[in-house]
Amino acid sequence: MANRTTIIAGNWKLNKTAAETRRTILELRNKLAGLSTGAEVVVFPPFVSLETAVDAARETILQVGAQNVFWEKSGAYTGEVSTTMLEALGLEFVLLGHSERRALFGETDATVARRLEAVLGGRLTPVVCVGEGLEEREAGRTGEVLARQVEGALKDVAPDHIGRVVLAYEPVWAIGTGKSASPTIANDAHTLIRSSIAAMFGRSAADETSVLYGGSVKPENTASLMRESEVDGVLVGGASLDAASFAEIVRAAG
Ligand code: PGA
């Protein structure tokens, strides 16, 4: 297997004020003290808690990311936040194209591609989320949906930038449902994602791209998912909100 970065990420979605963010990060710091891990551990708090998060995460193994970003740097775009602003806060990562953004906020493969291009023009590491819905899976369309989403998101990425992109496979039917994909289903989907990357950027670029699994990851299923050869990390929603459970996931990921 190629030498891919392992990433354990917590997507906090619309949860935690700045004060709660600080408290959770300090708890995580205590619970992870002394842990030696080769993994990158990242939390994604809401925008208004990011500055506090960066401050609280200083001198810990934790890194901080944002849950979304707009593609323009500045201007008349009420309610939006730019890559420059996130970089100025000292962030490392940004999520793009989460299925909740696609389903609830009109995000499409085309808008994900624009955001990705903007992110790659700067310093942040993008985590691009893809995943099929239940009906698509039951209709045998998983491969086609994943290929469309990966190709749609990555279509404008320059070959020398693909090494900075992280993918996350998040089947919509597994998110927040308590029904995680089995390790085999996750591994097969990651293989499909990697073949789309290979078709666009070549085999070695695909082999070096980290692909995370997300959807009802818990302390109890982390190790079995992480044992799969194509699973390079996890993107955790609900179980990342509690410091004890997220710390257990980080430890279980090895
Ligand atoms: P979940 O969410 O772990 O609560 O299923 C995962 C995600 O949406 O990133």
mmCIF file of all heavy atoms in Angstrom, residues 134-178:
data_model
loop_
_atom_site.group_PDB
_atom_site.id
_atom_site.type_symbol
_atom_site.label_atom_id
_atom_site.label_comp_id
_atom_site.label_asym_id
_atom_site.label_seq_id
_atom_site.Cartn_x
_atom_site.Cartn_y
_atom_site.Cartn_z
ATOM 1 N N LEU A 134 -29.559 5.955 -0.384
ATOM 2 C CA LEU A 134 -30.065 4.585 -0.248
ATOM 3 C C LEU A 134 -30.682 4.080 -1.549
ATOM 4 O O LEU A 134 -30.409 2.959 -1.990
ATOM 5 C CB LEU A 134 -31.089 4.522 0.886
ATOM 6 C CG LEU A 134 -31.615 3.121 1.209
ATOM 7 C CD1 LEU A 134 -30.480 2.185 1.599
ATOM 8 C CD2 LEU A 134 -32.659 3.188 2.319
ATOM 9 N N GLU A 135 -31.503 4.923 -2.175
ATOM 10 C CA GLU A 135 -32.161 4.480 -3.420
ATOM 11 C C GLU A 135 -31.136 4.182 -4.496
ATOM 12 O O GLU A 135 -31.295 3.249 -5.272
ATOM 13 C CB GLU A 135 -33.105 5.567 -3.938
ATOM 14 C CG GLU A 135 -34.432 5.571 -3.228
ATOM 15 C CD GLU A 135 -35.385 6.624 -3.781
ATOM 16 O OE1 GLU A 135 -35.206 7.059 -4.942
ATOM 17 O OE2 GLU A 135 -36.283 7.008 -3.015
ATOM 18 N N GLU A 136 -30.093 5.015 -4.539
ATOM 19 C CA GLU A 136 -29.056 4.796 -5.550
ATOM 20 C C GLU A 136 -28.333 3.476 -5.292
ATOM 21 O O GLU A 136 -28.072 2.704 -6.209
ATOM 22 C CB GLU A 136 -28.076 5.975 -5.537
ATOM 23 C CG GLU A 136 -28.732 7.256 -6.048
ATOM 24 C CD GLU A 136 -27.976 8.537 -5.710
ATOM 25 O OE1 GLU A 136 -27.310 8.609 -4.650
ATOM 26 O OE2 GLU A 136 -28.074 9.480 -6.510
ATOM 27 N N ARG A 137 -28.046 3.207 -4.012
ATOM 28 C CA ARG A 137 -27.381 1.935 -3.698
ATOM 29 C C ARG A 137 -28.281 0.769 -4.066
ATOM 30 O O ARG A 137 -27.851 -0.200 -4.683
ATOM 31 C CB ARG A 137 -26.995 1.878 -2.206
ATOM 32 C CG ARG A 137 -26.551 0.490 -1.745
ATOM 33 C CD ARG A 137 -25.679 0.500 -0.528
ATOM 34 N NE ARG A 137 -24.358 1.042 -0.790
ATOM 35 C CZ ARG A 137 -23.300 0.335 -1.195
ATOM 36 N NH1 ARG A 137 -23.403 -0.961 -1.388
ATOM 37 N NH2 ARG A 137 -22.144 0.921 -1.410
ATOM 38 N N GLU A 138 -29.575 0.865 -3.671
ATOM 39 C CA GLU A 138 -30.478 -0.265 -3.926
ATOM 40 C C GLU A 138 -30.708 -0.476 -5.418
ATOM 41 O O GLU A 138 -31.001 -1.584 -5.848
ATOM 42 C CB GLU A 138 -31.789 -0.052 -3.170
ATOM 43 C CG GLU A 138 -31.571 -0.311 -1.683
ATOM 44 C CD GLU A 138 -32.790 -0.053 -0.821
ATOM 45 O OE1 GLU A 138 -33.744 0.587 -1.311
ATOM 46 O OE2 GLU A 138 -32.763 -0.493 0.352
ATOM 47 N N ALA A 139 -30.563 0.593 -6.194
ATOM 48 C CA ALA A 139 -30.738 0.458 -7.643
ATOM 49 C C ALA A 139 -29.428 0.036 -8.324
ATOM 50 O O ALA A 139 -29.341 0.011 -9.556
ATOM 51 C CB ALA A 139 -31.231 1.771 -8.229
ATOM 52 N N GLY A 140 -28.398 -0.255 -7.543
ATOM 53 C CA GLY A 140 -27.128 -0.698 -8.116
ATOM 54 C C GLY A 140 -26.353 0.421 -8.792
ATOM 55 O O GLY A 140 -25.537 0.180 -9.676
ATOM 56 N N ARG A 141 -26.631 1.670 -8.365
ATOM 57 C CA ARG A 141 -25.999 2.810 -9.047
ATOM 58 C C ARG A 141 -24.839 3.430 -8.262
ATOM 59 O O ARG A 141 -24.364 4.517 -8.603
ATOM 60 C CB ARG A 141 -27.063 3.873 -9.348
ATOM 61 C CG ARG A 141 -28.121 3.387 -10.366
ATOM 62 C CD ARG A 141 -29.140 4.469 -10.668
ATOM 63 N NE ARG A 141 -28.474 5.742 -10.925
ATOM 64 C CZ ARG A 141 -28.891 6.926 -10.458
ATOM 65 N NH1 ARG A 141 -29.960 7.011 -9.704
ATOM 66 N NH2 ARG A 141 -28.216 8.022 -10.731
ATOM 67 N N THR A 142 -24.377 2.741 -7.219
ATOM 68 C CA THR A 142 -23.328 3.329 -6.369
ATOM 69 C C THR A 142 -22.090 3.742 -7.172
ATOM 70 O O THR A 142 -21.596 4.863 -7.032
ATOM 71 C CB THR A 142 -22.925 2.335 -5.255
ATOM 72 O OG1 THR A 142 -24.087 2.082 -4.460
ATOM 73 C CG2 THR A 142 -21.822 2.879 -4.382
ATOM 74 N N GLY A 143 -21.622 2.849 -8.039
ATOM 75 C CA GLY A 143 -20.398 3.123 -8.805
ATOM 76 C C GLY A 143 -20.553 4.358 -9.682
ATOM 77 O O GLY A 143 -19.671 5.226 -9.739
ATOM 78 N N GLU A 144 -21.692 4.413 -10.331
ATOM 79 C CA GLU A 144 -21.960 5.533 -11.245
ATOM 80 C C GLU A 144 -22.033 6.863 -10.469
ATOM 81 O O GLU A 144 -21.471 7.883 -10.886
ATOM 82 C CB GLU A 144 -23.305 5.212 -11.911
ATOM 83 C CG GLU A 144 -23.966 6.245 -12.739
ATOM 84 C CD GLU A 144 -25.481 5.940 -12.791
ATOM 85 O OE1 GLU A 144 -25.871 4.745 -12.789
ATOM 86 O OE2 GLU A 144 -26.248 6.901 -12.803
ATOM 87 N N VAL A 145 -22.701 6.844 -9.319
ATOM 88 C CA VAL A 145 -22.850 8.074 -8.521
ATOM 89 C C VAL A 145 -21.484 8.530 -8.002
ATOM 90 O O VAL A 145 -21.136 9.716 -8.094
ATOM 91 C CB VAL A 145 -23.830 7.840 -7.340
ATOM 92 C CG1 VAL A 145 -23.815 9.011 -6.371
ATOM 93 C CG2 VAL A 145 -25.240 7.581 -7.869
ATOM 94 N N LEU A 146 -20.708 7.588 -7.489
ATOM 95 C CA LEU A 146 -19.394 7.966 -6.952
ATOM 96 C C LEU A 146 -18.500 8.510 -8.068
ATOM 97 O O LEU A 146 -17.801 9.514 -7.881
ATOM 98 C CB LEU A 146 -18.732 6.773 -6.259
ATOM 99 C CG LEU A 146 -19.431 6.283 -4.980
ATOM 100 C CD1 LEU A 146 -18.700 5.074 -4.405
ATOM 101 C CD2 LEU A 146 -19.519 7.393 -3.934
ATOM 102 N N ALA A 147 -18.546 7.865 -9.228
ATOM 103 C CA ALA A 147 -17.714 8.334 -10.350
ATOM 104 C C ALA A 147 -18.132 9.750 -10.744
ATOM 105 O O ALA A 147 -17.286 10.625 -10.947
ATOM 106 C CB ALA A 147 -17.846 7.382 -11.542
ATOM 107 N N ARG A 148 -19.445 9.986 -10.814
ATOM 108 C CA ARG A 148 -19.918 11.318 -11.205
ATOM 109 C C ARG A 148 -19.470 12.370 -10.184
ATOM 110 O O ARG A 148 -18.994 13.450 -10.534
ATOM 111 C CB ARG A 148 -21.445 11.315 -11.314
ATOM 112 C CG ARG A 148 -21.998 12.561 -11.977
ATOM 113 C CD ARG A 148 -23.461 12.796 -11.634
ATOM 114 N NE ARG A 148 -23.610 13.215 -10.255
ATOM 115 C CZ ARG A 148 -24.527 12.747 -9.407
ATOM 116 N NH1 ARG A 148 -25.386 11.836 -9.773
ATOM 117 N NH2 ARG A 148 -24.578 13.187 -8.165
ATOM 118 N N GLN A 149 -19.601 12.038 -8.902
ATOM 119 C CA GLN A 149 -19.242 13.022 -7.870
ATOM 120 C C GLN A 149 -17.732 13.281 -7.842
ATOM 121 O O GLN A 149 -17.298 14.428 -7.698
ATOM 122 C CB GLN A 149 -19.728 12.549 -6.500
ATOM 123 C CG GLN A 149 -21.256 12.562 -6.392
ATOM 124 C CD GLN A 149 -21.740 12.075 -5.028
ATOM 125 O OE1 GLN A 149 -21.003 11.443 -4.285
ATOM 126 N NE2 GLN A 149 -22.989 12.369 -4.723
ATOM 127 N N VAL A 150 -16.947 12.218 -7.953
ATOM 128 C CA VAL A 150 -15.487 12.403 -7.903
ATOM 129 C C VAL A 150 -15.025 13.170 -9.135
ATOM 130 O O VAL A 150 -14.294 14.168 -9.031
ATOM 131 C CB VAL A 150 -14.757 11.035 -7.794
ATOM 132 C CG1 VAL A 150 -13.248 11.212 -7.939
ATOM 133 C CG2 VAL A 150 -15.098 10.356 -6.471
ATOM 134 N N GLU A 151 -15.489 12.743 -10.310
ATOM 135 C CA GLU A 151 -15.072 13.445 -11.535
ATOM 136 C C GLU A 151 -15.565 14.889 -11.532
ATOM 137 O O GLU A 151 -14.841 15.803 -11.921
ATOM 138 C CB GLU A 151 -15.594 12.708 -12.775
ATOM 139 C CG GLU A 151 -14.804 11.440 -13.039
ATOM 140 C CD GLU A 151 -15.543 10.450 -13.945
ATOM 141 O OE1 GLU A 151 -16.458 10.871 -14.695
ATOM 142 O OE2 GLU A 151 -15.195 9.250 -13.884
ATOM 143 N N GLY A 152 -16.795 15.083 -11.068
ATOM 144 C CA GLY A 152 -17.367 16.434 -11.040
ATOM 145 C C GLY A 152 -16.590 17.355 -10.115
ATOM 146 O O GLY A 152 -16.341 18.516 -10.439
ATOM 147 N N ALA A 153 -16.184 16.833 -8.971
ATOM 148 C CA ALA A 153 -15.469 17.671 -8.000
ATOM 149 C C ALA A 153 -14.031 17.941 -8.446
ATOM 150 O O ALA A 153 -13.506 19.031 -8.255
ATOM 151 C CB ALA A 153 -15.480 17.005 -6.629
ATOM 152 N N LEU A 154 -13.397 16.926 -9.043
ATOM 153 C CA LEU A 154 -11.954 17.027 -9.320
ATOM 154 C C LEU A 154 -11.639 17.524 -10.722
ATOM 155 O O LEU A 154 -10.473 17.608 -11.103
ATOM 156 C CB LEU A 154 -11.267 15.670 -9.107
ATOM 157 C CG LEU A 154 -11.418 15.015 -7.724
ATOM 158 C CD1 LEU A 154 -10.542 13.761 -7.645
ATOM 159 C CD2 LEU A 154 -11.072 15.965 -6.588
ATOM 160 N N LYS A 155 -12.666 17.868 -11.496
ATOM 161 C CA LYS A 155 -12.438 18.111 -12.929
ATOM 162 C C LYS A 155 -11.466 19.256 -13.222
ATOM 163 O O LYS A 155 -10.790 19.234 -14.234
ATOM 164 C CB LYS A 155 -13.761 18.310 -13.671
ATOM 165 C CG LYS A 155 -14.477 19.607 -13.335
ATOM 166 C CD LYS A 155 -15.794 19.684 -14.099
ATOM 167 C CE LYS A 155 -16.632 20.862 -13.720
ATOM 168 N NZ LYS A 155 -16.026 22.184 -13.736
ATOM 169 N N ASP A 156 -11.378 20.249 -12.347
ATOM 170 C CA ASP A 156 -10.474 21.369 -12.626
ATOM 171 C C ASP A 156 -9.186 21.321 -11.796
ATOM 172 O O ASP A 156 -8.437 22.297 -11.750
ATOM 173 C CB ASP A 156 -11.200 22.699 -12.344
ATOM 174 C CG ASP A 156 -12.413 22.871 -13.243
ATOM 175 O OD1 ASP A 156 -12.334 22.457 -14.424
ATOM 176 O OD2 ASP A 156 -13.451 23.399 -12.771
ATOM 177 N N VAL A 157 -8.962 20.207 -11.116
ATOM 178 C CA VAL A 157 -7.763 20.127 -10.266
ATOM 179 C C VAL A 157 -6.527 19.905 -11.143
ATOM 180 O O VAL A 157 -6.507 19.006 -11.986
ATOM 181 C CB VAL A 157 -7.913 18.970 -9.237
ATOM 182 C CG1 VAL A 157 -6.619 18.742 -8.473
ATOM 183 C CG2 VAL A 157 -9.069 19.260 -8.286
ATOM 184 N N ALA A 158 -5.516 20.728 -10.932
ATOM 185 C CA ALA A 158 -4.276 20.572 -11.698
ATOM 186 C C ALA A 158 -3.550 19.319 -11.205
ATOM 187 O O ALA A 158 -3.602 19.008 -10.012
ATOM 188 C CB ALA A 158 -3.387 21.801 -11.493
ATOM 189 N N PRO A 159 -2.874 18.603 -12.110
ATOM 190 C CA PRO A 159 -2.190 17.357 -11.711
ATOM 191 C C PRO A 159 -1.251 17.555 -10.519
ATOM 192 O O PRO A 159 -1.137 16.676 -9.663
ATOM 193 C CB PRO A 159 -1.408 16.961 -12.957
ATOM 194 C CG PRO A 159 -2.134 17.616 -14.091
ATOM 195 C CD PRO A 159 -2.757 18.869 -13.549
ATOM 196 N N ASP A 160 -0.601 18.710 -10.426
ATOM 197 C CA ASP A 160 0.328 18.882 -9.305
ATOM 198 C C ASP A 160 -0.396 19.259 -8.009
ATOM 199 O O ASP A 160 0.242 19.442 -6.968
ATOM 200 C CB ASP A 160 1.434 19.891 -9.647
ATOM 201 C CG ASP A 160 0.884 21.245 -10.012
ATOM 202 O OD1 ASP A 160 -0.266 21.307 -10.509
ATOM 203 O OD2 ASP A 160 1.580 22.252 -9.795
ATOM 204 N N HIS A 161 -1.731 19.340 -8.042
ATOM 205 C CA HIS A 161 -2.480 19.631 -6.819
ATOM 206 C C HIS A 161 -3.215 18.429 -6.258
ATOM 207 O O HIS A 161 -3.693 18.465 -5.129
ATOM 208 C CB HIS A 161 -3.504 20.745 -7.084
ATOM 209 C CG HIS A 161 -2.920 22.114 -7.000
ATOM 210 N ND1 HIS A 161 -3.534 23.222 -7.538
ATOM 211 C CD2 HIS A 161 -1.767 22.563 -6.433
ATOM 212 C CE1 HIS A 161 -2.793 24.289 -7.312
ATOM 213 N NE2 HIS A 161 -1.707 23.908 -6.652
ATOM 214 N N ILE A 162 -3.320 17.360 -7.041
ATOM 215 C CA ILE A 162 -4.142 16.230 -6.583
ATOM 216 C C ILE A 162 -3.579 15.627 -5.283
ATOM 217 O O ILE A 162 -4.334 15.157 -4.427
ATOM 218 C CB ILE A 162 -4.305 15.137 -7.685
ATOM 219 C CG1 ILE A 162 -5.306 14.060 -7.225
ATOM 220 C CG2 ILE A 162 -2.991 14.526 -8.121
ATOM 221 C CD1 ILE A 162 -6.721 14.547 -7.005
ATOM 222 N N GLY A 163 -2.275 15.736 -5.104
ATOM 223 C CA GLY A 163 -1.644 15.202 -3.895
ATOM 224 C C GLY A 163 -2.103 15.901 -2.624
ATOM 225 O O GLY A 163 -1.875 15.397 -1.523
ATOM 226 N N ARG A 164 -2.757 17.048 -2.752
ATOM 227 C CA ARG A 164 -3.229 17.769 -1.555
ATOM 228 C C ARG A 164 -4.679 17.455 -1.211
ATOM 229 O O ARG A 164 -5.190 17.917 -0.184
ATOM 230 C CB ARG A 164 -3.101 19.287 -1.784
ATOM 231 C CG ARG A 164 -1.656 19.763 -1.773
ATOM 232 C CD ARG A 164 -1.584 21.250 -2.024
ATOM 233 N NE ARG A 164 -2.538 21.992 -1.214
ATOM 234 C CZ ARG A 164 -3.042 23.182 -1.551
ATOM 235 N NH1 ARG A 164 -2.647 23.754 -2.677
ATOM 236 N NH2 ARG A 164 -3.894 23.792 -0.775
ATOM 237 N N VAL A 165 -5.355 16.699 -2.089
ATOM 238 C CA VAL A 165 -6.794 16.480 -1.899
ATOM 239 C C VAL A 165 -7.044 15.199 -1.099
ATOM 240 O O VAL A 165 -6.443 14.161 -1.366
ATOM 241 C CB VAL A 165 -7.503 16.385 -3.272
ATOM 242 C CG1 VAL A 165 -8.999 16.145 -3.099
ATOM 243 C CG2 VAL A 165 -7.256 17.652 -4.088
ATOM 244 N N VAL A 166 -7.952 15.300 -0.126
ATOM 245 C CA VAL A 166 -8.407 14.136 0.639
ATOM 246 C C VAL A 166 -9.864 13.897 0.245
ATOM 247 O O VAL A 166 -10.627 14.845 0.082
ATOM 248 C CB VAL A 166 -8.313 14.415 2.162
ATOM 249 C CG1 VAL A 166 -8.899 13.262 2.971
ATOM 250 C CG2 VAL A 166 -6.860 14.698 2.560
ATOM 251 N N LEU A 167 -10.239 12.634 0.079
ATOM 252 C CA LEU A 167 -11.627 12.293 -0.221
ATOM 253 C C LEU A 167 -12.267 11.674 1.012
ATOM 254 O O LEU A 167 -11.560 11.059 1.828
ATOM 255 C CB LEU A 167 -11.677 11.273 -1.358
ATOM 256 C CG LEU A 167 -11.768 11.760 -2.823
ATOM 257 C CD1 LEU A 167 -13.140 12.385 -3.094
ATOM 258 C CD2 LEU A 167 -10.682 12.721 -3.193
ATOM 259 N N ALA A 168 -13.570 11.833 1.173
ATOM 260 C CA ALA A 168 -14.281 11.119 2.233
ATOM 261 C C ALA A 168 -15.483 10.436 1.617
ATOM 262 O O ALA A 168 -16.302 11.095 0.951
ATOM 263 C CB ALA A 168 -14.718 12.081 3.334
ATOM 264 N N TYR A 169 -15.559 9.115 1.789
ATOM 265 C CA TYR A 169 -16.729 8.362 1.341
ATOM 266 C C TYR A 169 -17.743 8.361 2.467
ATOM 267 O O TYR A 169 -17.492 7.799 3.534
ATOM 268 C CB TYR A 169 -16.331 6.926 0.974
ATOM 269 C CG TYR A 169 -17.548 6.048 0.746
ATOM 270 C CD1 TYR A 169 -18.481 6.376 -0.242
ATOM 271 C CD2 TYR A 169 -17.769 4.907 1.505
ATOM 272 C CE1 TYR A 169 -19.607 5.596 -0.452
ATOM 273 C CE2 TYR A 169 -18.891 4.115 1.305
ATOM 274 C CZ TYR A 169 -19.811 4.466 0.323
ATOM 275 O OH TYR A 169 -20.932 3.699 0.128
ATOM 276 N N GLU A 170 -18.882 9.023 2.223
ATOM 277 C CA GLU A 170 -19.914 9.102 3.245
ATOM 278 C C GLU A 170 -21.255 8.709 2.628
ATOM 279 O O GLU A 170 -21.980 9.561 2.096
ATOM 280 C CB GLU A 170 -20.011 10.524 3.795
ATOM 281 C CG GLU A 170 -18.766 10.960 4.538
ATOM 282 C CD GLU A 170 -19.108 11.918 5.668
ATOM 283 O OE1 GLU A 170 -19.830 12.902 5.430
ATOM 284 O OE2 GLU A 170 -18.671 11.661 6.788
ATOM 285 N N PRO A 171 -21.590 7.412 2.669
ATOM 286 C CA PRO A 171 -22.876 6.999 2.113
ATOM 287 C C PRO A 171 -24.003 7.671 2.899
ATOM 288 O O PRO A 171 -24.004 7.640 4.132
ATOM 289 C CB PRO A 171 -22.879 5.475 2.304
ATOM 290 C CG PRO A 171 -21.847 5.190 3.341
ATOM 291 C CD PRO A 171 -20.852 6.307 3.293
ATOM 292 N N VAL A 172 -24.920 8.301 2.190
ATOM 293 C CA VAL A 172 -25.942 9.117 2.851
ATOM 294 C C VAL A 172 -26.780 8.273 3.809
ATOM 295 O O VAL A 172 -27.171 8.721 4.889
ATOM 296 C CB VAL A 172 -26.837 9.811 1.786
ATOM 297 C CG1 VAL A 172 -27.926 10.648 2.460
ATOM 298 C CG2 VAL A 172 -25.988 10.697 0.881
ATOM 299 N N TRP A 173 -27.007 7.001 3.437
ATOM 300 C CA TRP A 173 -27.838 6.112 4.257
ATOM 301 C C TRP A 173 -27.149 5.739 5.579
ATOM 302 O O TRP A 173 -27.795 5.189 6.479
ATOM 303 C CB TRP A 173 -28.196 4.839 3.472
ATOM 304 C CG TRP A 173 -27.034 4.205 2.760
ATOM 305 C CD1 TRP A 173 -26.636 4.457 1.475
ATOM 306 C CD2 TRP A 173 -26.118 3.233 3.280
ATOM 307 N NE1 TRP A 173 -25.518 3.709 1.165
ATOM 308 C CE2 TRP A 173 -25.190 2.945 2.244
ATOM 309 C CE3 TRP A 173 -25.984 2.575 4.503
ATOM 310 C CZ2 TRP A 173 -24.153 2.039 2.405
ATOM 311 C CZ3 TRP A 173 -24.948 1.663 4.664
ATOM 312 C CH2 TRP A 173 -24.039 1.406 3.623
ATOM 313 N N ALA A 174 -25.861 6.015 5.701
ATOM 314 C CA ALA A 174 -25.142 5.657 6.930
ATOM 315 C C ALA A 174 -24.958 6.854 7.856
ATOM 316 O O ALA A 174 -24.557 6.701 9.013
ATOM 317 C CB ALA A 174 -23.782 5.065 6.578
ATOM 318 N N ILE A 175 -25.268 8.058 7.352
ATOM 319 C CA ILE A 175 -24.999 9.262 8.145
ATOM 320 C C ILE A 175 -26.094 9.500 9.168
ATOM 321 O O ILE A 175 -27.269 9.640 8.806
ATOM 322 C CB ILE A 175 -24.846 10.496 7.230
ATOM 323 C CG1 ILE A 175 -23.600 10.329 6.346
ATOM 324 C CG2 ILE A 175 -24.749 11.772 8.061
ATOM 325 C CD1 ILE A 175 -23.378 11.468 5.383
ATOM 326 N N GLY A 176 -25.705 9.500 10.419
ATOM 327 C CA GLY A 176 -26.643 9.803 11.503
ATOM 328 C C GLY A 176 -27.709 8.739 11.704
ATOM 329 O O GLY A 176 -28.688 8.967 12.413
ATOM 330 N N THR A 177 -27.542 7.585 11.085
ATOM 331 C CA THR A 177 -28.578 6.548 11.169
ATOM 332 C C THR A 177 -28.221 5.443 12.164
ATOM 333 O O THR A 177 -29.061 4.601 12.475
ATOM 334 C CB THR A 177 -28.771 5.862 9.797
ATOM 335 O OG1 THR A 177 -27.506 5.301 9.397
ATOM 336 C CG2 THR A 177 -29.242 6.860 8.755
ATOM 337 N N GLY A 178 -26.970 5.418 12.601
ATOM 338 C CA GLY A 178 -26.526 4.326 13.452
ATOM 339 C C GLY A 178 -26.164 3.092 12.635
ATOM 340 O O GLY A 178 -25.682 2.102 13.173
#
